[in-house]
């Protein structure tokens, strides 16, 4: 004959597990554990129910997150905020350094442009001075040319006035006078280049 497994009531199983009868009863309903035998109103369960409860309890204990006290939660949140503040401070330092580097580069470019502008201004001033000197020289040359032109006109008038009274001169004398008149009628620059 088969040896029958010993059957236990809910109270006996709860005592063996060290929990209240209400907790054990809730667990039975939640997990749909059916009794092996019912004697009147007493439900009897096999010993395997104890093993099922312990296995499920172990697995649920590993799945339950760690329960923290309010102080621990606040400490954790404080640590997170302090970490965030440290990161923000580092970003601020990095941004300041980057700003200083950009500012230094901009100042260098400004200095370079200022030097370039100064050299261009100096070059343009030198060009203006050279232009002024050339203009002064051209003015002097124009004045001299004007004076020579006036002198030529005066000479031409003298030659014409000298030529009128002596119409009676010989043809050889006229040729000499014509060559003198031609030479006196030539411009100042033509006389210089001869």
């Amino acid at each position: 004959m088969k040896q029958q497994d010993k059957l236990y009531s809910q109270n006996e199983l709860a005592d063996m597990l060290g929990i209240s009868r209400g907790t054990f009863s809730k667990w039975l309903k939640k997990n749909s554990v059916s009794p092996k035998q019912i004697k009147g109103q007493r439900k009897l369960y096999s010993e395997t129910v104890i093993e099922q409860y312990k296995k499920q309890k172990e697995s649920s204990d590993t799945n339950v997150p760690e329960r923290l006290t309010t102080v621990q939660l606040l400490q954790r949140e404080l640590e997170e905020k302090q970490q965030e503040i440290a990161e923000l401070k580092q970003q601020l330092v990095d941004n300041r350094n980057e700003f200083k580097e950009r500012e230094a580069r901009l100042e260098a470019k400004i200095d370079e442009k200022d030097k370039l502008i100064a050299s261009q201004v100096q070059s343009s001033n030198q060009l203006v001075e050279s232009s002024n000197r050339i203009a002064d020289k051209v003015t002097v040359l124009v004045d001299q040319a004007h004076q020579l032109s006036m002198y030529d006109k005066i000479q031409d008038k003298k030659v014409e006035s000298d030529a009128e009274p002596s119409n009676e001169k010989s043809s050889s004398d006229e040729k000499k006078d014509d060559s003198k008149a031609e030479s006196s009628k030539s411009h100042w620059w033509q006389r210089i280049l001869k």
Side-chain angles (χ1 to χ4, degrees):
M1 204 183 221
K2 278 188 179 178
Q3 187 181 7
Q4 288 190 349
D5 291 333
K6 188 172 180 189
L7 299 176
Y8 300 97
S9 67
Q10 285 184 12
N11 285 339
E12 292 172 330
L13 290 172
D15 287 341
M16 287 182 194
L17 291 169
I19 57 173
S20 70
R21 183 184 183 279
T23 304
F24 187 66
S25 179
K26 286 178 189 175
W27 179 82
L28 290 172
K29 286 180 186 175
K30 181 180 173 186
N31 292 296
S32 303
V33 177
S34 55
K36 285 275 188 189
Q37 189 177 18
I38 299 177
K39 284 189 180 176
Q41 290 192 4
R42 279 183 62 172
K43 298 178 182 176
L44 301 173
Y45 298 90
S46 68
E47 234 178 306
T48 58
V49 172
I50 294 174
E51 293 172 23
Q52 285 177 339
Y53 179 83
K54 286 181 180 179
K55 284 181 184 177
Q56 187 177 6
K57 191 69 176 164
E58 286 175 8
S59 66
S60 65
D61 283 346
T62 58
N63 293 336
V64 172
E66 176 184 348
R67 295 184 186 207
L68 302 174
T69 64
T70 305
V71 174
Q72 289 172 327
L73 286 173
L74 290 174
Q75 284 177 339
R76 232 184 228 177
E77 191 173 327
L78 178 65
E79 288 172 2
E80 290 172 3
K81 295 298 179 187
Q82 286 174 339
Q83 179 66 27
E84 189 177 332
I85 288 170
E87 289 172 3
L88 290 173
K89 282 181 180 179
Q90 185 60 42
Q91 284 180 348
L92 183 63
V93 168
D94 293 344
N95 289 343
R96 281 183 187 162
N97 291 339
E98 185 179 339
F99 176 75
K100 286 179 183 179
E101 289 173 6
R102 285 183 181 176
E103 187 178 28
R105 285 193 302 258
L106 285 174
E107 286 177 5
K109 285 183 180 181
I110 289 171
D111 290 344
E112 187 179 316
K113 299 263 183 193
D114 286 346
K115 288 177 184 177
L116 181 63
I117 289 170
S119 70
Q120 288 176 345
V121 166
Q122 185 179 6
S123 297
S124 65
N125 287 341
Q126 290 173 348
L127 286 173
V128 167
E129 289 175 10
S130 297
S131 299
N132 289 339
R133 283 195 301 270
I134 291 171
D136 290 343
K137 288 179 181 179
V138 167
T139 303
V140 168
L141 288 174
V142 167
D143 286 344
Q144 289 175 352
H146 184 66
Q147 288 174 358
L148 286 173
S149 176
M150 295 296 285
Y151 178 75
D152 283 346
K153 286 182 183 178
I154 293 171
Q155 289 297 325
D156 287 344
K157 285 183 183 180
K158 277 186 183 179
V159 169
E160 286 176 10
S161 65
D162 287 345
E164 286 177 14
S166 61
N167 279 340
E168 300 169 358
K169 289 184 182 176
S170 68
S171 65
S172 64
D173 287 340
E174 285 179 17
K175 288 181 183 178
K176 287 181 184 177
D177 287 340
D178 285 342
S179 66
K180 283 183 184 179
E182 283 178 22
S183 66
S184 64
K185 286 183 182 180
S186 63
H187 291 286
W188 61 270
W189 53 270
Q190 288 175 334
R191 286 188 297 232
I192 291 174
L193 293 175
K194 283 184 180 179

